[in-house]
Amino acid sequence: MSPALLLRLSFALVLGLSAGLALPAPDRQGDGEATEFPGQRLALKRASDAVLGVQSTATEGASTIDTLGEYRAGSGVVIASDGLVLTIGYLILEAEDVELVLDSGKRMPARVVAYDLATGFGLVQAVLPLGIAPAQLGQAHAVAEGEPLLFVSGGDDGALSAAQLVSRRGFSGYWEYHIDGALFTSPARRDHSGAGLFNAQGELIGIGSLLVPSAPGDGSRRAGNMFVPVDLLPPIFAELRERGVSRASMRAWLGVNCVEQDDGLRVVRVSRDSPAETAGLQPGDLIRRLDGAPVGGLESFYKMLWNGGSAERDLTIEVLREGQTQSVPVHSVDRTQTLRRARGI
């Protein structure tokens, strides 16, 4: 770790204390005098060292360039001694060229190992030895609200700071995505993509995904970040390494971006070359029913879509368009089969 990063780490600990965040009691020497949390400092140093930058370039013609851009940059966390790095999946979605950026500024080539739709995780592996000790995985469900945490990003502009867990709840994204137990932290940081969230013992508990306007989830304007909890990784880790995707990701996909309204789901965007575009769904449509059943909110709509049968099947979506109710037949597809593959998968 560079001296600058060590300084920022010490500042983060001081910041936590000054904000009134409870840290573990200091280690005690035999004479009864307190030391400066040596075990904790070593654990947090190892955690910070395990975070590096992730940069990627999308494959030519990738549909996700429309929303994510061709060039992407964020962070990742080394989680295995063979150079395996856990990151947020959208950084490497349909990516061809991936580089890892170390604290020294050195760039290392990497290959894509997995992209998981169901959790949002991505895995990449360094082609050459990194010489970085992996972070230890913690248990996100064991973290209490208000607990002091460490937020670490990597790459050229990597930094770290103190954070607090302000809420834990299910999260539904407008892009046909839902997870349970998402972690919401404050204060907000913009370098969240793939960043590591660590507990006071230096254990990784989350991977950064989003900047959100209300971290508490109560409608208050207290911005923060959403992290995908690492608890979602162990059950699918083996199949991600073996197959590049979890079975839960092989599910029905329409290609609509929606927001919740009191009387349905408003379509705000239709993905290019998607089943929704083929069926004629349009921005502005208000989705009210799926196969005759009321859709409710995003979570219920997604679960009806994903749990209703095979990934590829015929569906009927009832929409309100310009004051008129219309029934739109749609043939859903397996999203994993529509993505352009990097050479690594």
Side-chain angles (χ1 to χ4, degrees):
M1 173 183 284
S2 67
L5 277 180
L6 276 172
L7 179 62
R8 288 199 296 270
L9 177 56
S10 298
F11 175 76
L13 290 174
V14 171
L15 179 61
L17 288 170
S18 66
L21 308 182
L23 292 174
D27 293 299
R28 298 271 174 186
Q29 296 177 337
D31 59 5
E33 295 182 358
T35 64
E36 293 186 350
F37 312 104
Q40 184 185 43
R41 287 182 180 275
L42 287 174
L44 293 177
K45 179 184 182 300
R46 175 171 175 162
S48 181
D49 285 346
V51 181
L52 36 64
V54 176
Q55 297 182 353
S56 70
T57 303
T59 59
E60 183 177 357
S63 62
T64 51
I65 291 176
D66 295 348
T67 52
L68 299 174
E70 183 179 2
Y71 304 103
R72 304 160 196 175
S75 306
V77 184
V78 180
I79 62 167
S81 58
D82 61 357
L84 189 70
V85 173
L86 179 65
T87 185
I88 197 66
Y90 59 73
L91 289 177
I92 60 167
L93 177 56
E94 296 189 300
E96 186 62 62
D97 296 313
V98 180
E99 285 188 326
L100 303 176
V101 185
L102 280 59
D103 281 349
S104 64
K106 183 177 181 181
R107 281 163 162 72
M108 303 277 283
R111 67 180 184 91
V112 176
V113 174
Y115 168 68
D116 193 55
L117 281 163
T119 61
F121 285 138
L123 290 173
V124 298
Q125 187 163 29
V127 174
L128 301 173
L130 288 174
I132 297 175
Q136 300 298 310
L137 297 188
Q139 296 182 323
H141 68 269
V143 179
E145 289 188 17
E147 186 169 327
L149 303 171
L150 188 67
F151 183 131
V152 188
S153 64
D156 295 330
D157 299 317
L160 75 173
S161 64
Q164 274 188 315
L165 180 67
V166 296
S167 68
R168 180 194 289 106
R169 61 186 188 275
F171 173 80
S172 296
Y174 58 81
W175 59 95
E176 297 182 48
Y177 173 76
H178 176 83
I179 58 170
D180 293 320
L183 307 175
F184 294 83
T185 64
S186 181
R189 278 181 43 176
R190 294 189 175 276
D191 54 342
H192 51 77
S193 299
L197 186 67
F198 297 88
N199 62 20
Q201 289 71 49
E203 298 169 329
L204 179 67
I205 62 166
I207 293 293
S209 177
L210 295 170
L211 180 69
V212 295
S214 178
D218 56 5
S220 63
R221 298 189 62 81
R222 183 181 176 188
N225 297 107
M226 188 275 275
F227 285 80
V228 181
V230 296
D231 298 16
L232 301 180
L233 181 62
I236 61 171
F237 185 67
E239 58 183 331
L240 290 186
R241 295 210 70 165
E242 180 181 351
R243 304 172 57 244
V245 67
S246 70
R247 289 176 176 80
S249 293
M250 303 168 69
R251 61 196 187 192
W253 177 70
L254 300 177
V256 289
N257 293 171
C258 298
V259 295
E260 294 181 352
Q261 293 189 350
D262 291 339
D263 51 352
L265 302 178
R266 182 72 65 182
V267 178
V268 296
R269 182 180 177 275
V270 176
S271 298
R272 173 166 52 96
D273 300 327
S274 67
E277 183 184 65
T278 300
L281 287 172
Q282 303 173 11
D285 286 347
L286 186 69
I287 298 176
R288 287 182 160 177
R289 294 178 178 272
L290 175 63
D291 284 342
V295 298
L298 288 172
E299 180 179 355
S300 65
F301 177 54
Y302 296 156
K303 289 182 177 180
M304 290 165 61
L305 181 64
W306 299 333
N307 301 331
S310 63
E312 299 199 15
R313 66 185 193 276
D314 293 323
L315 304 165
T316 300
I317 296 179
E318 182 184 296
V319 303
L320 184 66
R321 180 184 299 167
E322 298 179 349
Q324 301 294 319
T325 299
Q326 299 186 29
S327 293
V328 181
V330 184
H331 184 78
S332 66
V333 301
D334 180 349
R335 172 64 163 155
T336 65
Q337 300 304 310
T338 70
L339 301 172
R340 291 181 179 266
R341 301 283 172 166
R343 288 188 295 262
I345 296 184

